[in-house]
Amino acid sequence: MINDLWYKNAVIYSLSVATYMDANGDGIGDFKGLVRRLDYLQGLGITALWLMPFQPSPNRDGGYDISNYYGVDPRYGTLGDFVEFTQGCKQRGMRVLIDLVVNHTSDQHSWFKEACSDPQSTYRDWYVWSRKKPADAASGVVFPGVQKSTWNYEKTAKAYYFHRFYDFQPDLNTSHPEVQAEILKIMGFWLQLGVDGFRMDAVPFVIASKGANLPRPHEQYDMLRSFSEFLTWRKNGAIILGEANVLPDTDLKYFGSFGERLQMMFNFDVNQHMFYALASADPKPLIKAMQDTKPRPATAQWGQFLRNHDELDLGRLSQRQRDTVFTAFGPDKEMQLYQRGIRRRLAPMLQGDRRLMELAYSLMMSLPGTPVLRYGDEIGMGDDLSLPERNCARTPMQWSSEPNAGFTENKKPVMPVISEGGYAFHHVNVAAQRRDPNSFMNWMERIIRMRKEVPEVGWGDFSFIRTTKPQVLAMRYDWRGNSVVCMHNFSPQPQEVRFATHAKGEPESTLVNLLSEDHSYPEANGRHCILLEPYGYRWFRMGGLDYLLKRTEV
Ligand code: NOJ
Ligand code: CA
């Protein structure tokens, strides 16, 4: 196995330039502001950033409606500022992933405008048209309750165009060779400016065949291989992290049997079952999700996450499981979205309960894969449910107790800063938490530091340890002669857990606690007995602290 696969043991942090830090005081976050915060991110232990779209855009879907793929929206700075940013990351050893939104463009993109106004234009075939409204126009909408159809009439073109998402996001005809060539060109451009890869938006829709009344739509998985080949030729070490909320039995189609397609994907299946485990104290379905998503090529990697910039999609849970999560974490209608999910941030979902927040993050960081954090979660930021749809969880970063949380010197920030209630910036901010050794942020920094020293999680094989308690998830990781055990108690009661890490007859090892003092020594019967607090968790290393000397080379 190649040692150099950096994404196997990375810590990824996602942010939106618009709401992170405003340097010039116009109320909108920008690249200059972000550059000033790179030392903060490095200090937190982040090794890779994922930026939401920052290209020119009418901004009707958080920038996921791009009107020019080869620029920076002037609100955020210039291409020059962008290169200063990637250079700043490089200096600090941080990689940069950016969103690659090529399933659709904005309806304001010049390609679409030309396609509409001139039937002879080369861009006409870059989109997906139908003279008549297709019979299935009302099915397959991604934003139910907000979006009514997937086909919209365009007056100038005198035809209907296909849009999987909002009507201002016409789908690109991604089967068209010219469109595919353009996608490569876009990737090549940003690689040249210093990025290390892409978070590819809406992958299943990018590779789907598109058109009116298709007899049997199919996925063109080979496209992923050509993207991946191009990428690795152009830049050593570049990757694609795919957004594909698909069933586990298609995972290998996305990774490629030999890892020749996507290097990484978000693990949506584990994500949803993780929230079910937190809501129900029953980790069994989570165990199943981990088993179902276990098969993957050796070079491929899961991105494990709790919350992202979208709603928490619970569409893969059973009705009963979904109801359990809604009742626990999003009981009110205003907290729910698109008939399938919860739009809140993590801390308010967990009612700010520090024990649950630590449990959730300790779990996420010890799941097989690479953790992906969301800005603001490291300080337990809240949400503003008065903002529409997903915007409630996209408010500006809370840096300090200065006006507008130190995000901007302008009176009117691009999005309202949370300034009322328990999550107001006066109470929840980086400056205050920095001074408090027991703050959530300092806890996060310590656990990130430990996560990086436990490559067994990112690189190793995992198995489940049988315990006497169904509310406890106990896992073991093995890699290059070293082993780690992680335990999580999902219940509000303390649990005494008895278990063995070795087969019967083999001597048990000492378990060295990696996060606090209480190590575990096997009892006379050769088994371990650990008392986990309510929502308690432990990370142990098997054997002594000379493990590094015992790590094998292969
Ligand atoms: C997925 C993105 O995460 C979401 O924010 C966006 O609205 C859709 N793709 C459309 O680009
Ligand atoms: Ca600005």
Side-chain angles (χ1 to χ4, degrees):
M1 172 62 61
I2 313 165
N3 274 330
D4 317 4
L5 308 179
W6 63 268
Y7 54 92
K8 282 277 188 177
N9 204 42
V11 181
I12 304 177
Y13 183 99
S14 70
L15 67 90
S16 152
V17 178
T19 50
Y20 206 60
M21 180 76 199
D22 173 24
N24 66 355
D26 65 354
I28 308 172
D30 42 44
F31 277 104
K32 284 203 171 115
L34 174 55
V35 167
R36 308 269 164 93
R37 292 298 185 184
L38 291 181
D39 292 323
Y40 164 77
L41 290 164
Q42 191 191 22
L44 191 58
I46 302 305
T47 65
L49 297 180
W50 152 31
L51 301 192
M52 328 261 96
F54 51 79
Q55 290 84 354
S57 160
N59 225 8
R60 296 176 65 191
D61 177 19
Y64 284 89
D65 47 335
I66 292 178
S67 55
N68 170 11
Y69 288 94
Y70 301 103
V72 167
D73 193 300
R75 287 172 296 190
Y76 311 138
T78 63
L79 278 175
D81 295 329
F82 181 79
V83 172
E84 288 303 298
F85 157 72
T86 53
Q87 183 59 25
C89 291
K90 197 169 163 195
Q91 273 176 9
R92 293 167 178 82
M94 287 193 280
R95 316 258 173 173
V96 178
L97 304 177
I98 65 169
D99 240 292
L100 181 66
V101 190
V102 290
N103 176 64
H104 45 266
T105 67
S106 157
D107 59 358
Q108 298 306 304
H109 198 295
S110 61
W111 301 339
F112 187 65
K113 288 193 187 165
E114 269 187 53
C116 290
S117 61
D118 177 5
Q120 305 311 320
S121 151
T122 45
Y123 295 116
R124 184 75 165 200
D125 284 345
W126 283 36
Y127 294 88
V128 186
W129 301 98
S130 175
R131 290 250 156 258
K132 289 207 194 107
K133 187 166 188 170
D136 58 358
S139 68
V141 299
V142 176
F143 303 124
V146 187
Q147 176 196 2
K148 292 213 169 50
S149 139
T150 51
W151 290 87
N152 227 39
Y153 190 67
E154 215 293 328
K155 281 200 291 291
T156 345
K158 296 199 183 61
Y160 289 83
Y161 63 90
F162 177 65
H163 57 93
R164 174 59 70 184
F165 296 92
Y166 295 109
D167 57 7
F168 52 82
Q169 290 166 318
D171 266 49
L172 280 166
N173 176 10
T174 42
S175 306
H176 195 311
E178 285 176 14
V179 172
Q180 292 180 7
E182 189 75 26
I183 294 175
L184 300 188
K185 204 193 264 187
I186 295 167
M187 293 202 282
F189 177 80
W190 293 104
L191 289 170
Q192 204 70 35
L193 298 186
V195 312
D196 300 281
F198 303 90
R199 176 269 190 190
M200 193 170 198
D201 191 57
V203 182
F205 302 128
V206 172
I207 64 174
S209 54
K210 307 179 189 188
N213 309 316
L214 282 186
R216 268 195 106 230
H218 63 279
E219 280 82 30
Q220 305 153 89
Y221 292 109
D222 270 350
M223 276 168 68
L224 300 178
R225 178 178 183 151
S226 65
F227 295 157
S228 182
E229 273 175 357
F230 173 82
L231 200 75
T232 34
W233 268 100
R234 277 288 166 97
K235 186 165 182 177
N236 179 349
I239 64 156
I240 299 180
L241 163 55
E243 185 218 14
N245 187 349
V246 293
L247 287 171
D249 58 7
T250 49
D251 289 346
L252 275 178
K253 301 241 192 260
Y254 283 85
F255 284 134
S257 305
F258 305 99
E260 74 277 20
R261 293 175 184 165
L262 300 178
Q263 289 79 9
M264 282 189 81
M265 285 209 283
F266 290 107
N267 197 327
F268 283 95
D269 203 49
V270 160
N271 174 261
Q272 310 192 8
H273 291 95
M274 178 159 45
F275 277 94
Y276 175 71
L278 291 167
S280 67
D282 172 16
K284 245 188 274 90
L286 171 62
I287 293 178
K288 178 165 187 306
M290 277 193 270
Q291 275 160 341
D292 289 348
T293 56
K294 190 170 185 179
R296 58 177 146 106
T299 53
Q301 183 72 325
W302 285 119
Q304 301 287 10
F305 64 106
L306 280 161
R307 290 287 291 113
N308 60 22
H309 61 299
D310 291 329
E311 79 285 4
L312 162 64
D313 185 342
L314 301 169
R316 301 228 175 275
L317 301 184
S318 69
Q319 185 65 45
R320 184 190 57 81
Q321 292 172 331
R322 193 164 36 246
D323 288 346
T324 305
V325 181
F326 275 137
T327 309
F329 300 141
D332 301 349
K333 267 273 159 285
E334 61 160 5
M335 300 168 176
Q336 303 172 4
L337 195 60
Y338 309 139
Q339 300 154 21
R340 61 166 177 246
I342 300 179
R343 62 190 191 118
R344 308 172 83 189
R345 271 215 185 235
L346 188 75
M349 280 172 65
L350 304 180
Q351 295 181 335
D353 186 330
R354 175 72 181 260
R355 298 170 309 168
L356 270 163
M357 284 160 68
E358 288 190 16
L359 176 75
Y361 268 101
S362 161
L363 176 66
M364 185 268 247
M365 298 240 188
S366 61
L367 288 176
T370 291
V372 185
L373 292 100
R374 164 116 175 104
Y375 83 89
D377 281 0
E378 73 272 34
I379 52 170
M381 261 173 65
D383 46 42
D384 178 350
L385 294 175
S386 72
L387 297 172
E389 292 178 64
R390 294 158 293 172
N391 281 359
C392 62
R394 299 176 176 181
T395 60
M397 181 67 178
Q398 296 173 193
W399 294 107
S400 69
S401 57
E402 289 156 291
N404 279 320
F407 157 71
T408 178
E409 294 195 319
N410 198 286
K411 285 207 179 62
K412 278 197 108 187
V414 59
M415 285 269 211
V417 174
I418 294 183
S419 45
E420 275 166 33
Y423 297 94
F425 68 88
H426 317 91
H427 322 297
V428 177
N429 67 64
V430 171
Q433 294 201 20
R434 203 192 283 282
R435 292 187 199 105
D436 172 5
N438 294 318
S439 68
F440 191 60
M441 189 182 100
N442 279 318
W443 176 88
M444 187 70 86
E445 187 185 314
R446 289 192 295 271
I447 200 141
I448 289 176
R449 181 186 183 122
M450 185 47 77
R451 172 61 186 77
K452 286 153 80 175
E453 291 185 41
V454 185
E456 289 79 2
V457 174
W459 284 90
D461 286 330
F462 69 92
S463 52
F464 298 99
I465 297 177
R466 268 170 188 274
T467 73
T468 42
K469 294 292 159 69
Q471 304 90 337
V472 173
L473 173 66
M475 298 182 64
R476 168 177 171 161
Y477 288 92
D478 296 286
W479 185 63
R480 297 194 173 174
N482 284 174
S483 304
V484 171
V485 171
C486 298
M487 311 201 116
H488 293 89
N489 172 16
F490 291 89
S491 83
Q493 279 90 37
Q495 302 291 342
E496 196 178 67
V497 191
R498 292 169 191 279
F499 63 97
T501 56
H502 285 62
K504 241 191 168 135
E506 282 180 38
E508 264 302 315
S509 33
T510 305
L511 295 178
V512 177
N513 190 322
L514 294 177
L515 301 170
S516 58
E517 281 300 339
D518 60 334
H519 311 306
S520 176
Y521 304 94
E523 296 181 337
N525 62 8
R527 289 166 73 82
H528 287 273
C529 176
I530 287 163
L531 181 65
L532 288 168
E533 309 79 16
Y535 304 124
Y537 58 91
R538 296 282 188 286
W539 294 16
F540 292 115
R541 199 166 261 297
M542 278 165 60
L545 283 172
D546 59 348
Y547 70 96
L548 281 178
L549 307 176
K550 296 194 172 137
R551 186 186 285 171
T552 58
E553 288 298 315
V554 286

